[in-house]
Amino acid sequence: MSALEIMDPKMDSGIERSQYNSIEEAIEDGVAPIPLSMDRTLDVQCSIDVMDHLFSCEATWHKGHTLAQTVFTCIYLMRMERTSSHAVLNSFCRILRATCNAIISVVSTARTHEEEDLFTMSFGLPLRDEGDDKCLSILNSVEETISRQLRACKAQAFSKKKTPEDLESLQNNPDMEEDYCRAMLCRLRFRKHFYHVVMSMRKPHGRGLELARKHVASCLTELSLMLKSREFLKSQSNITLQDDENCTTASGCQPVGFDVSLNSRLLSPTPPRAVKVLSWSNAIRYFEKLLHDLDVICALSLDPVLENVLRFIVQFQKSVPDLVPRAFLQTLLVQDGKLYGQNLFSDVISRALSLPDIIGDKEFQMNEFVVQLGQLVINLLKILCTNAAWQRRKLGKSLQDWSTISIQLELALKREFGETRNVLHHENMCMRVSKQLLIWTQEQAYWVASRFLTLGFELDLYSPGEYCMVYWYMYVVFTKLIEKMQLRVLSSSETSRRKGKKKKDHSKDSVRDTTFSSSCLLLQCYVLLSEGLSMMLAVLRNESRSFQLPSIFNSEQERFMQHFDLLQKARVPEHISYYSFKESSSQAGITDLMKYNFFREIQKIIPSLRGSFASQPEKLAELRQIEQVAEHNRIALNIISQVGPDDPSMRVSFEFTHHPHFAVAVVKRS
């Protein structure tokens, strides 16, 4: 769990008892009749209501509740053999159970269920059956029967001919036959296509991604048809007052065949309180977002370049995906200890070092440090696929591992080759690889640190009084990150020149260098924003006594350690402490701030970056956000300078209106 909240149904389950002591007793009392009604029209209506409520229960389960309190509150699922005479209900329940089982397998493999540890608990529920492997063929048979009936209805309406005698109608009212067929078909087809999505995405090496995208598009089409069927289903119900935000079915009727508390009697680990199931409208919205997230994953190009993979995950996390899509992403990225199940992580590291000659080199693959770094990269990918709270906590702890291996690499380099750290013309290949491996490891440590710091804003962990120290630390980390990036590229460029490459290879290097310079310039924007905001806040602290931290419970130094203790223990960066921050911030003045004008410098850099990122919409969006932050802060800084930071009538606040990590100063006069 990310947090423990009193009275959260997932943790504080209370006591609610079912009036039945067993499933058989509930069945005998008529809770789950087969058929659902002797009136065939009402039987179809009730079947659709059961489908809709199960749809809402499935979405609720995905949100972190238990199967026993959601999907398996359905007695038809608990006693599947009873539905064999009801083809529609039997086919729907079978494929739903098979889908749930497949999703549990994916989430268990990814181990992202640690965030919601109740997700994969089966409580002894009947999740598997001998006939489940035929669920698709059973559903296809039912779908074909209803499709033929729908085609017959359309033909009859067009030619005024009677329905062929060999086709049995879905229900008794011929005027509503077509609408009921449509409502039933879109629900069955959604289940079929969603099952295909799940099974295709589980295929190794990403082989099913293209097929999964086609089924995702089909799922979204069926969801829109389900929404269209709502008006017809509502019109057939006898309920006049319907609250769409609380109804778990499209018709607004209560479904038959469910008992929310029965499992708490039968299965001892089951939490005894019933949970609030998502409304049908919210379930539709959940699945729409889920499918869009899965579509983004399916569009992944399986690029083996680590920098691009990390960028993709960070971009994907901006949409705040739920547990299931993050589990699918992780199982795609890490399969059998390889990237996408295809690329050894030693080869991924060699590409990151810009040393293609050692890809596949057995000695490099078996190197102790490379093996450890490969495991660290695997852990990093898995961590980045967790939710924001878990991600930040685990990133902070993993920094110690990156720092330790960095120190070990540095000591080994000194032991083997002495104190020389510059790139020499006569150095051997082993020495060059060792140096580049050290620089790359340090670069990754600073990248992890930057991610750790920025996630604090997304989780609202920093108060306005702490922004100054946070932006100062971000400035130091981003500066170090640029420094290591430049060293790595310089080292690889030197290696390339020494080998005397062909002209074609030089053109590839020039493309890479352009990309590198663009990445460096973007990081430089982050450096300038962090330094500018840190100095602005320091000036306001020094000259107007605003944004001062209260010292009732803890001092500023204690706050500093609370936020950055994990970075300090990992020595990221080295020789940085609270006293470094205090010395830097205490000397900040409005004159120096106006002189350096960090925000104007950003506006000079951005035009040159637009051309470089012309083919990357997410980067262009990021540039627009940075430009807006820089422009607003430049204007605010001019106002503060003109009025004077010590003017008692001036009120300055900071808002995250344009960027999630970089604040905008808002100046008001009282």
Side-chain angles (χ1 to χ4, degrees):
M1 289 295 172
S2 299
L4 178 64
E5 183 179 347
I6 295 174
M7 295 304 291
D8 186 325
K10 286 181 279 186
M11 300 302 294
D12 184 26
S13 298
I15 297 293
E16 288 183 12
R17 291 291 185 190
S18 170
Q19 58 179 313
Y20 305 110
N21 293 315
S22 67
I23 294 174
E24 286 68 26
E25 186 180 330
I27 291 171
E28 287 176 8
D29 199 38
V31 173
I34 294 288
L36 282 73
S37 173
M38 299 309 295
D39 182 335
R40 292 179 64 217
T41 302
L42 190 56
D43 180 80
V44 171
Q45 289 177 0
C46 290
S47 297
I48 292 173
D49 287 339
V50 170
M51 293 178 183
D52 285 347
H53 189 74
L54 280 170
F55 179 78
S56 299
C57 286
E58 186 180 11
T60 309
W61 171 53
H62 285 195
K63 285 289 189 179
H65 290 285
T66 66
L67 272 173
Q69 292 173 294
T70 53
V71 176
F72 277 84
T73 57
C74 180
I75 294 173
Y76 296 114
L77 271 171
M78 297 291 286
R79 293 291 183 269
M80 189 82 78
E81 65 278 1
R82 294 184 63 251
T83 64
S84 57
S85 61
H86 197 293
V88 171
L89 198 57
N90 181 266
S91 63
F92 186 90
C93 289
R94 279 192 182 280
I95 200 163
L96 173 61
R97 183 169 66 179
T99 304
C100 290
N101 195 35
I103 288 175
I104 285 175
S105 177
V106 171
V107 175
S108 298
T109 302
R111 300 189 64 82
T112 50
H113 66 282
E114 291 178 0
E115 307 165 17
E116 296 287 0
D117 51 1
L118 302 174
F119 186 90
T120 57
M121 293 179 69
S122 62
F123 301 101
L125 295 165
L127 281 170
R128 295 181 184 86
D129 190 67
E130 291 180 2
D132 283 357
D133 56 341
K134 300 177 182 177
C135 65
L136 204 55
S137 59
I138 295 171
L139 185 73
N140 285 334
S141 176
V142 173
E143 180 196 350
E144 178 57 29
T145 302
I146 300 175
S147 296
R148 288 174 61 200
Q149 180 61 27
L150 179 60
R151 289 194 295 270
C153 290
K154 291 179 180 178
Q156 182 183 9
F158 183 73
S159 61
K160 304 297 182 184
K161 292 181 181 180
K162 292 185 178 180
T163 305
E165 293 181 2
D166 63 326
L167 282 179
E168 184 181 2
S169 63
L170 198 63
Q171 45 83 52
N172 295 327
N173 191 333
D175 295 331
M176 296 185 293
E177 181 74 3
E178 184 175 343
D179 288 317
Y180 274 124
C181 284
R182 289 182 188 279
M184 188 75 77
L185 269 177
C186 62
R187 284 158 173 79
L188 292 173
R189 285 172 175 166
F190 172 81
R191 287 256 60 98
K192 178 182 73 173
H193 289 300
F194 188 60
Y195 177 78
H196 276 301
V197 169
V198 173
M199 300 311 290
S200 297
M201 292 188 72
R202 290 183 69 195
K203 290 182 179 179
H205 308 159
R207 287 198 294 261
L209 295 183
E210 188 176 347
L211 180 61
R213 287 199 82 182
K214 295 177 181 178
H215 286 293
V216 165
S218 299
C219 280
L220 290 169
T221 301
E222 300 306 329
L223 278 179
S224 65
L225 293 174
M226 286 168 64
L227 273 172
K228 286 181 181 178
S229 70
R230 171 190 272 181
E231 290 305 316
F232 166 72
L233 295 171
K234 276 185 175 181
S235 68
Q236 299 307 309
S237 67
N238 297 322
I239 301 174
T240 53
L241 296 175
Q242 299 169 345
D243 182 5
D244 289 342
E245 291 307 313
N246 289 316
C247 293
T248 58
T249 61
S251 66
C253 298
Q254 287 294 320
V256 298
F258 291 83
D259 190 305
V260 295
S261 302
L262 185 57
N263 284 332
S264 64
R265 276 187 180 272
L266 305 178
L267 310 169
S268 57
T270 305
R273 174 182 288 168
V275 301
K276 181 175 173 58
V277 175
L278 286 176
S279 70
W280 189 76
S281 301
N282 287 334
I284 288 280
R285 284 191 282 270
Y286 167 77
F287 274 101
E288 283 177 342
K289 185 179 186 308
L290 169 65
L291 290 164
H292 283 301
D293 288 338
L294 294 179
D295 188 58
V296 171
I297 295 170
C298 292
L300 184 59
S301 63
L302 306 188
D303 185 354
V305 178
L306 182 61
E307 183 182 354
N308 296 338
V309 175
L310 296 178
R311 188 185 303 120
F312 174 84
I313 302 174
V314 171
Q315 185 65 30
F316 179 70
Q317 287 278 23
K318 288 181 180 178
S319 66
V320 195
D322 285 291
L323 176 65
V324 173
R326 285 187 280 105
F328 273 108
L329 176 59
Q330 185 185 314
T331 53
L332 171 64
L333 293 173
V334 182
Q335 298 176 29
D336 302 323
K338 299 177 183 177
L339 183 63
Y340 313 123
Q342 300 173 350
N343 304 280
L344 292 170
F345 277 95
S346 57
D347 293 343
V348 172
I349 292 170
S350 64
R351 284 190 183 90
L353 297 177
S354 302
L355 292 172
D357 291 349
I358 60 173
I359 292 177
D361 184 84
K362 295 296 181 183
E363 186 179 352
F364 182 78
Q365 290 174 0
M366 299 302 293
N367 181 276
E368 178 189 356
F369 293 117
V370 174
V371 171
Q372 290 181 42
L373 285 170
Q375 190 57 52
L376 281 182
V377 172
I378 290 174
N379 292 340
L380 177 59
L381 294 178
K382 289 182 177 181
I383 288 169
L384 292 174
C385 291
T386 59
N387 66 27
W390 271 68
Q391 188 181 152
R392 187 176 191 273
R393 185 159 57 250
K394 291 192 172 187
L395 282 176
K397 292 179 179 178
S398 73
L399 267 174
Q400 189 70 48
D401 298 327
W402 286 99
S403 176
T404 300
I405 197 169
S406 176
I407 293 169
Q408 290 173 348
L409 268 168
E410 193 165 11
L411 290 173
L413 190 62
K414 288 178 181 178
R415 187 170 57 250
E416 293 292 329
F417 307 108
E419 295 289 335
T420 304
R421 304 184 73 175
N422 297 322
V423 178
L424 302 176
H425 290 285
H426 62 273
E427 67 187 12
N428 59 32
M429 186 63 178
C430 182
M431 185 175 182
R432 289 199 298 271
V433 171
S434 299
K435 285 184 176 180
Q436 287 178 245
L437 200 59
L438 172 61
I439 294 167
W440 179 81
T441 304
Q442 292 170 338
E443 181 187 346
Q444 296 311 302
Y446 287 118
W447 187 91
V448 170
S450 67
R451 181 70 180 156
F452 173 85
L453 291 170
T454 53
L455 278 172
F457 288 105
E458 296 178 22
L459 294 166
D460 294 324
L461 298 182
Y462 309 131
S463 67
E466 296 165 341
Y467 289 166
C468 183
M469 67 172 69
V470 173
Y471 283 123
W472 177 83
Y473 216 111
M474 285 171 62
Y475 154 68
V476 175
V477 167
F478 282 132
T479 303
K480 288 288 186 180
L481 182 56
I482 290 179
E483 177 188 318
K484 297 303 176 183
M485 186 184 291
Q486 289 173 334
L487 277 173
R488 173 175 56 83
V489 174
L490 178 64
S491 180
S492 62
S493 299
E494 189 66 29
T495 303
S496 301
R497 279 196 294 273
R498 210 178 290 119
K499 289 177 182 177
K501 287 195 169 185
K502 298 176 183 177
K503 289 184 178 179
K504 185 171 70 173
D505 295 332
H506 278 305
S507 65
K508 290 180 182 177
D509 284 346
S510 64
V511 171
R512 189 178 66 239
D513 290 344
T514 303
T515 306
F516 158 71
S517 60
S518 302
S519 301
C520 250
L521 282 174
L522 183 59
L523 271 176
Q524 186 61 34
C525 289
Y526 294 154
V527 169
L528 292 169
L529 271 179
S530 302
E531 188 174 11
L533 284 166
S534 176
M535 280 194 69
M536 184 190 292
L537 284 155
V539 167
L540 292 170
R541 281 157 53 102
N542 295 340
E543 301 192 20
S544 67
R545 298 300 174 187
S546 55
F547 299 101
Q548 297 277 9
L549 285 173
S551 57
I552 300 173
F553 300 109
N554 51 14
S555 65
E556 185 180 61
Q557 185 174 0
E558 288 172 329
R559 293 279 189 98
F560 186 92
M561 291 308 299
Q562 286 168 2
H563 284 304
F564 311 125
D565 184 47
L566 291 172
L567 281 75
Q568 293 281 291
K569 286 179 179 176
R571 300 199 301 172
V572 178
E574 288 184 323
H575 314 303
I576 292 297
S577 65
Y578 168 74
Y579 299 105
S580 309
F581 159 69
K582 196 66 178 175
E583 181 183 356
S584 173
S585 60
S586 62
Q587 296 173 358
I590 189 65
T591 307
D592 291 334
L593 186 57
M594 292 302 296
K595 177 183 176 182
Y596 293 112
N597 211 330
F598 303 102
F599 305 118
R600 188 181 293 280
E601 287 299 315
I602 294 170
Q603 292 176 312
K604 292 178 183 177
I605 295 173
I606 284 177
S608 63
L609 284 174
R610 285 202 181 95
S612 303
F613 297 140
S615 60
Q616 302 178 50
E618 70 280 357
K619 284 288 184 71
L620 290 175
E622 176 75 5
L623 286 179
R624 284 193 293 272
Q625 290 180 327
I626 291 172
E627 189 173 27
Q628 287 177 324
V629 172
E631 175 62 18
H632 283 78
N633 281 328
R634 185 185 65 80
I635 294 170
L637 183 58
N638 288 336
I639 295 171
I640 293 170
S641 176
Q642 291 169 10
V643 176
D646 56 348
D647 190 325
S649 65
M650 185 179 64
R651 296 288 180 270
V652 182
S653 60
F654 286 86
E655 300 174 356
F656 294 89
T657 50
H658 298 290
H659 196 284
H661 310 143
F662 297 105
V664 168
V666 179
V667 184
K668 295 180 180 179
R669 299 286 297 274
S670 57

